[in-house]
Structure formats: structure tokens, C-alpha cells
Amino acid sequence: MKHFYPENKLRSLSVALLFLALIWQHATIAARRNVSQAPEPAWIKKLPHRTETNININEVNGGYHFLLMDQQYEVARQEVYSHSIYKITTEEGVQNSSEIRLSFDPHHEQLQFHKVIVWRNGKPIDKLNLNKVKVLQRESGMDKGIYDESLTAVLVLDDIRVGDVVEYACTIKGSNPVFGGRFFNSFNLQGYDPMDERLLRIVMPESRKLNYKLYLTDKKPAITTANGSTTYTWHLKNLPGTVVDDGTPSWYDPYPGVYLSEFNSWAEVVDWALPLYEINQKLSKPLLASIDSIKNTYGSDEDRMTAALRFVQDEVRYLGFEAGIGGFKPRPPSEVYANRFGDCKDKAQLLCAMLRQMDIKAYPALVNSNTQGHISELLPSPYAFNHCIVQVELLGGKTYWYDATISKQRGNYKNIYLPNYGKALLIKPNTKALATVTGTAADKPEVKVKETYYINDFSGDVELEVRTEYSGSEADYQRRHFSTTSIKDIGKTYLNFYANTYPEIESDVEISYEDDIYRNSFTVFEKYTIPNFWTDQAGNEQVIEAWFTPQVLRSYISQPKTSKRTMPLAIGYPVHVEQTINILLPETWNVSNDELTVEDDAFLFTKSEKYSNSGTELELTYTYKTKQDHVPAEATSQYVRKQKSMLDALSYGLTYHKGIGSKGGTAWPVAGFALIALLAAGFGAYKLYHWDPQLPENYTMGDSRSIGGWLVLVAIGLVGTPFRLVFGILSERYFDAAVWENILDTSSGVYSPALAGILTMELVVNVAYLVFSLLLIYLFFQRRSSVPRLMVIFYAANFAFIVLDYALISLMGLGTGTGADTAKEIAQAFIAAAIWVPYFNLSHRVKATFVERLHPAWRYQPEAEEVEEIVIA
């Protein structure tokens, strides 16, 4: 059998490698003209030569350290001089630091080597040989779709040994013409490792102002003016290493340094950018046709904007050629449309052009995905930004922000997700300051997981169903993930996620999903079978246990590696996850409900444990929401402490005593006690039967009425009461010896004397109520005069007992069912009492119905003639 696909792949790979080799060779040959050897420029400040160091080798990482780091800029000449000296201290340093790599842009820069010297035992060895310099086009951003055509000159040093001191100096001449010769940059004045000497020197024309801003340092520059130039110099010696904490936010630079810029305001940066973003070419006919199609298909600006955004996001792939000016000036929209590719600024410009053609106001906006809102802490300059998005103004003047580079985004125009960029610079006339970027708020969980465990017994397999609903950015990510990954591979990944907890788990069905593009909701469905779900408890073979943990929610919680910190700790933001675990149990579990809240300035965590009224369903609900993107260094200890409280509360365990699963014999002591209670209740019923209250003085036999009206409802409820009580007594297993043995056995996992007391009380009350209800039924239909007061006792006592029962269960830490079920049962008893107690006290029908007495009093009724005689007399 022929395997065509592998053969074609290999052929394609061979052609690709040949093509890359030709490009490599061409780049190397062509770039040689940009690399040369020359004497050091005359304008630099030369420092005394040094090969000795004061640095303790025990403070050094990587096997080498710098004796000197010298950077000097001649702004008018557009020249950058670099001079470095470093010492190799270990074999690892030899491995890692025996190459000199210098990057430059061949479109407008030239690299000049001045010297490459290895100092050994105080003697110099010249290592500069241009024939050994390899110039490579590495394209480090290729994996991200960015090609800047920058080159790297590589000189591999031979015969490098531990103890050698390597020195090299070079100058890069030229700069990107897109900046018009204006200078801006940022520099670290201190590194991770100690350094003997650091020189930073900027030579500016005297007529030009250079702004600087110090960062985490108080080292101001020495400023001198001579020969028409102003020089800013930082000359530092014996610099300590910087202690850097792990896990710092992307916007935080741990190294002391300085920002420099000739731009005096953000308005000047806008003035620089406006000409670059002008659309001078007419839109092509194909592009206009696509715009007209959107305009004719959709009737509102909101729908047209959404359609245009999806076109640019999904049908124009992300790819950037950012060499030279191309790194800052977007390509014409028609070109981007025709090529169907572009980088962030190209796609933003295309989207703006499409929207403006439909009379929708839209402007490109520069942001920084790393520094985010902290961009306002930098000096104004083009280097403050690394990304471009779009601001759209719809009817009513309300503005919205969109990122044209994020594919597979769905939802309506109001809830399309935008990353937390914080601040943006609008490329719009008269823009004076940074604008606040507002995205969709994650008030609702972006990840909602519902796991349902179907436990039919304590020995067989357990079924697990999982429903995960993603929204916002999580829905966008999952939509992209499912579009680029096979269901088979996704299913394998999901299965192994649960296999970490349940090693024998197997998938029942193929993973499926639903995509609601209007709500931007992406829902995934899973179903598994888990063998051997219950395991023996360590040290007690009579007890089995099962543990439940919200693993999905847990995956969003990162623990810091460094707790003792001097720098902020980054945390994921925004994160909002809710995970519910439903456990359907084969038997009643008498465990108390519970709630927990752990809150910090950085996060909010809640946990709820609720049992159903029957006790056969447990619902665990967890939520985790971050409130900011970092924890300040001084708040780390409190954050770690509260995070530990949260992590400790994640797992929930159920234990089950094996003996309780099968019914034992009859609990004869309990049966005997129930018989005593029955006899006592019977005696009480006998006494109540003979209770024969008198009728009111003004009552006559002519007022008597039969059972009717609302009393019919009372009769129906009363007749059903004995059946309900008998069913409850039998179903609760009051007479099962195994139940009593386990709850009274101190070695049992369900040992609970308090529960035994509650069960005893419930049994007595239920037996008494059974007898009482039977008596009431008889008396009710006999219309006995005692019924109204007994019915008041019946309803009032029922309410009081239910309240007392739940109160005792709660105080003793036993299960009370869900709060909703408890409140429902109490409310029902209260409403019944509130209705029927007044009714039996005040109703005329009640007074006229229940008039029969056990021993009716004899009343003399005179004949009419006798009455006449009495009256005449």
C-alpha cells in the first residue's frame, strides 16, 4: 500500500529546507556589506582598561559576569557604541558565553567591529576575524507570524577557557528613518548579577531637549554641555545584583533603570503617528464590493460593525512583515484585503477603513499588551506601545474597543471580549492624553462547570457527566481550540485530566459541544464511567470513602513559588470560575450543610455544601474570582495565608461504613421502646376521647350543621396524615438494627450519639402523632365538641416540632437538607397553622358543626300548651 501523505510531506519538507538554505546563503552574502571593521569613533568616552574584578564568584549566575557594560549614543550622528568586558568563571560559562551575537536592521543600520580580545593571564589574544563572522537571518518572531528581516552577526570564539576575560567593542551606525531622528529608549542601570562598572552616556545636540525618568533608582545623570552638545552620563561602579522574585506581573520591571525620550507629551506621539496612519490610496473595487455587501446585508451600524470585525478577524490571517518603516506604518487597506494577511496595525487600519466607508467612526489606537494600564508611568514615545486595536463610535456617541487580531470571537457588539489593555493612545487629531480602555466586565463566571456523579450503590461503577459552559474570552479560546484540534485529541486530553484523580476512568461517549455565537457561549459535554470509585479508608477496612475536588477551578489557582517577596506577585486576571459538583447518593446522608467564604484584596472564594431534604443528593458549589492582576509585595503573606485556607477547603470527602449498607435484623429494643410509646400514646388518646367540653350557653340544636365548606379540605388532609406517618416510620429504618449499631459504635465512620437521640425523638413523636391523627379522624367525623381545640393543638404542635427538630439537628451539626428544603417545610407548617388555628377558633361553621358530646346533657323542652298556661299564669 502506498502512503501518499507521508511521501508528499517529506518532498515538501525537502523543498522547504532547500529554499531556506538558499535564503540563508543569500542573506549571509548580502549582509556582509553591512558588517565591517573600523577604529573606535572619536566621540566616545574611553574608560581605563580593566581585567580585574571585585565581585564574589559565589554571587554569580550562569558561569560569567560583567566587569564592564558600556553603552554610548551619539544622537546627531545616529551611532551607538557598545563596549563589554566579562569574565568566564565556570565550564558552564564557557559553554554559554563563547559566542558574540549582535543584532541589527540591515535596511538602515551598519555594524562595525572595533575589537574582540580574550585576556588570559593578563595578556591579550586578538580574536577579531571578519571571515569568521556569520551573519544570519534568524527571524525570532517567526513562530508568532512576525518577520522583521533583522540580522544577527555571530562570532564563535575558539579556545575559550575558565578564567578568560572576553572584551569586545562595536558601533551600530544608522537608525530607523520612521522616527525622523528623534531619540527615545530605556536602559537598566543594574542587572541580575553584580557588575563592576556600568557606563551609559547620551550625547545630544544642545538645541534638543531630552527628558528622563528614573525607575527604582535615585542615580541622576551628570549633565554637561560643550561644543554644541549636551551629554547625559550615568557612570556607576560596584553595582550589586538585583534580587528578583519569580512570578512578577508583565508590567513590572524589577531592574533599576531610566526612561529617555525626546517626545514631550503623548500629543507629540500622536502627531508623529498620524501621517503614518493616513489612508492616501483609494479603496480597491473588490474591497468596496465587500463593504457594500456588508452594508446591504445588515441594517444597523452595530450589526455592520460586527460583520466587518469578524471578516477582518477570521478571513485576514495574522502575519507581519515589519522590516524598517513597515514595523510602524500600516500597509494600505486594499493591499491587506488582497493579500488576506497583515499584522495588528494592518488589520486595525483595514477595519477602520471598512467602517468609515459605512459612515461609522473608527480610529486605530496604540496599546501595550505587557505594561497595560501602567503605560502611563512611562515617558511618551513610540516604543511605549507594542500593539494596535480599534475604537469604534456608534450611534449616541458611545465608544467600544475591539481587537482585530483575535480570531473566532463571537457575541453581539456589546459583549465581544477585549483583553485588559488598560490604556490606549488614539491615533486621532487633537488627542492629548492616554484614554482608558474599557472592555466587557466578567460579572458572570466565564467558566461554569457542572459535574454530576450517579452513585447507585457502593460497589459498582459510578457514572460521571460533565457540562462546561465557557463565555467571554474563554469561549473565544475554546472555539479556536476546537477548530484547530481534532475531537479525538481533545477527548484524550480531557480523559487524562480526570484520570489524574480516577486512574481507571473510561469515556462513554465522544465529546460534543454547542456553540451559541450570539451569546458567545461555548458548551462542552462529557460522560465517563469510573470503576472502583470507593476506596477503603486507611486504617479502617470497615469504612470506604470517596473524595471530590473541583479540579477545573483548581487549575485556575496558581501558588507562588516565592512567599517572602519584595516585588508584586502576578495573578490571573480577570478570572471568574464556578464549579458545581452534584452527587446523587443511594442512601440518606445525615451531614450538616455548610458555607465558607474566603476573601482577600486579590480574590474572592466561596464554597457551599447543601444536602437535599431527603439527604440523598449533595450539591457542592465553588466560585473563584480574582479582583486584580497582582498582589503587592507587602500583602503577599496575607494572600498566601488566605489562599491556603481556600486550597484546604477544596476537597470534600464522604465516608460509608460497610455494615450500614445492608439491612440488619430488627432492633428489638427500639421496637419495644416504640411499643411503649404506642401504649403511652394510646392511653393519652383514651383520655382525650373522654374529654367532653360543654357547648356554649347560647347554643340550640337548631344551629347544628354538617361537615362542609372549608372543613372538607381539613378532612382530606387529616385522612391522609396516618398514611404519611406510617410510610415515614417504615422508610426511615427506625427498626433496622444495623443502623443503630453503626451510629452507636465508636469505631464506626458514622458514629453519632446525637443522631441516635434525634432519631429516638422523631420515632416517639411520629408514633404519638399517628395515634393522635387516628383519634382526630374518628372525633372529626363524629363532630365531637373537642375537635376545635384538638385541631388547634394538632397544627400548632406540628409547626413547633418541625422548628425544634431542625434547630436541634443544626445545633448538633447534623444534616438538615438544603436550606431551601428546610425553609419550605417550616413555611408549609407555619402557613397551615396560621390559617387553621384562627379558623378553628373563630369560624361560625366550626362552632355549629362540632356540637356532639360523648355524654349529652338532658334539656327539658316544654309543650306549647304548657308554655301558654305558664304565660297566662
Side-chain angles (χ1 to χ4, degrees), residues 145 148 309 399 545 571:
D148 60 11
L309 175 65
T399 57
E545 61 184 7
I571 58 175

Side-chain angles (χ1 to χ4, degrees), residues 1 22 68 89 120 158 174 176 215-216 247 262 270 279 303 389 471 521 540 557 586 616 629 661 682 696 833 851:
M1 178 183 291
L22 292 173
L68 172 66
T89 59
R120 184 176 297 158
D158 53 14
N176 196 328
Y215 177 75
L216 297 180
E262 277 193 90
V270 174
I279 301 177
D303 290 343
I389 62 175
S471 60
S521 172
N540 190 349
I557 304 171
T616 58
D629 66 351
V851 295

Side-chain angles (χ1 to χ4, degrees), residues 245-257:
D245 294 334
D246 69 293
T248 57
S250 62
W251 47 262
Y252 182 80
D253 185 353
Y255 302 104

Side-chain angles (χ1 to χ4, degrees), residues 327-511:
F328 299 89
K329 179 179 174 60
R331 287 165 176 76
S334 297
E335 180 183 334
V336 177
Y337 175 84
N339 292 335
R340 288 296 202 276
F341 66 74
D343 61 11
C344 61
K345 60 186 180 297
D346 298 333
K347 299 183 74 167
Q349 186 82 317
L350 173 59
L351 178 58
C352 288
M354 296 178 70
L355 296 178
R356 291 169 186 169
Q357 188 67 24
M358 293 184 283
D359 298 322
I360 300 173
K361 295 180 180 180
Y363 306 95
L366 302 179
V367 298
N368 193 307
S369 58
N370 294 325
T371 57
Q372 302 168 354
H374 297 269
I375 195 173
S376 59
E377 301 168 9
L378 309 180
L379 288 180
S381 81
Y383 273 1
F385 309 98
N386 67 355
H387 192 48
C388 186
I389 62 175
V390 175
Q391 186 200 65
V392 178
E393 185 177 322
L394 295 174
L395 293 176
K398 190 166 184 180
T399 57
Y400 299 88
W401 302 82
Y402 302 101
D403 191 331
T405 66
I406 304 177
S407 62
K408 297 296 182 182
Q409 283 198 304
R410 296 297 181 263
N412 63 53
Y413 72 99
K414 290 183 179 180
N415 62 13
I416 295 175
Y417 171 77
L418 185 77
N420 181 33
Y421 292 128
K423 296 289 184 179
L425 187 65
L426 274 174
I427 309 304
K428 177 183 178 182
N430 301 317
T431 296
K432 303 297 183 184
L434 297 169
T436 299
V437 179
T438 54
T440 54
D443 294 330
K444 297 180 180 179
E446 288 200 329
V447 181
K448 291 184 69 174
V449 184
K450 183 177 181 180
E451 297 175 343
T452 304
Y453 292 83
Y454 296 90
I455 305 175
N456 296 320
D457 51 45
F458 298 99
S459 58
D461 297 344
V462 170
E463 300 294 326
L464 169 61
E465 292 183 358
V466 186
R467 181 185 187 275
T468 308
E469 180 180 358
Y470 301 94
S471 60
S473 62
E474 294 286 350
D476 297 336
Y477 171 79
Q478 294 298 331
R479 193 176 292 111
R480 290 192 298 270
H481 179 55
F482 274 73
S483 69
T484 57
T485 310
S486 69
I487 293 294
K488 179 181 178 181
D489 285 351
I490 293 175
K492 182 179 179 181
T493 301
Y494 281 35
L495 177 64
N496 280 283
F497 176 81
Y498 282 104
N500 290 327
T501 306
Y502 309 110
E504 298 177 64
I505 190 172
E506 293 294 339
S507 178
D508 287 349
V509 297
E510 187 176 72
I511 282 182

Side-chain angles (χ1 to χ4, degrees), residues 612-812:
S612 65
N613 195 44
S614 64
T616 58
E617 181 175 349
L618 166 62
E619 181 181 89
L620 306 173
T621 302
Y622 304 82
T623 65
Y624 173 69
K625 181 180 182 180
T626 56
K627 300 190 285 185
Q628 56 195 39
D629 66 351
H630 74 285
V631 179
E634 62 273 14
T636 305
S637 59
Q638 174 181 292
Y639 170 80
V640 171
R641 184 172 63 254
K642 291 194 173 182
Q643 188 188 65
K644 183 179 185 301
S645 298
M646 171 177 61
L647 295 174
D648 290 344
L650 288 181
S651 295
Y652 189 91
L654 291 176
T655 58
Y656 184 80
H657 197 283
K658 294 179 181 179
I660 204 171
S662 57
K663 290 187 178 181
T666 302
W668 292 111
V670 177
F673 185 79
L675 180 60
I676 295 173
L678 181 63
L679 293 174
F683 177 75
Y686 172 80
K687 301 294 288 183
L688 289 175
Y689 174 80
H690 286 87
W691 181 46
D692 196 25
Q694 295 183 359
L695 298 175
E697 290 292 334
N698 59 351
Y699 171 77
T700 63
M701 293 300 292
D703 294 332
S704 176
R705 303 177 67 179
S706 62
I707 295 174
W710 293 109
L711 290 175
V712 174
L713 295 179
V714 177
I716 294 173
L718 199 56
V719 170
T721 299
F723 297 98
R724 177 173 56 83
L725 291 170
V726 170
F727 176 78
I729 292 171
L730 296 178
S731 62
E732 290 295 334
R733 298 173 63 184
Y734 288 112
F735 306 110
D736 189 338
V739 171
W740 292 94
E741 288 173 5
N742 282 288
I743 62 177
L744 294 176
D745 183 358
T746 55
S747 65
S748 170
V750 292
Y751 171 71
S752 177
L755 178 59
I758 293 292
L759 291 177
T760 302
M761 181 190 71
E762 289 180 351
L763 177 60
V764 171
V765 172
N766 283 330
V767 168
Y769 256 76
L770 174 61
V771 175
F772 189 33
S773 63
L774 291 172
L775 172 66
L776 272 177
I777 292 172
Y778 178 79
L779 297 177
F780 188 91
F781 287 103
Q782 292 294 315
R783 299 192 297 127
R784 286 279 299 276
S785 61
S786 59
V787 167
R789 296 183 189 179
L790 293 178
M791 291 300 297
V792 168
I793 295 172
F794 178 79
Y795 286 113
N798 180 58
F799 171 67
F801 172 71
I802 290 175
V803 172
L804 176 64
D805 191 32
Y806 279 120
L808 290 175
I809 291 174
S810 179
L811 288 173
M812 294 179 182

Side-chain angles (χ1 to χ4, degrees), residues 270-290:
V270 174
D271 292 339
W272 163 81
L274 279 171
L276 300 176
Y277 282 80
E278 286 183 357
I279 301 177
N280 299 317
Q281 297 182 9
K282 291 184 178 180
L283 302 185
S284 64
K285 291 182 179 180
L287 175 54
L288 289 173
S290 291

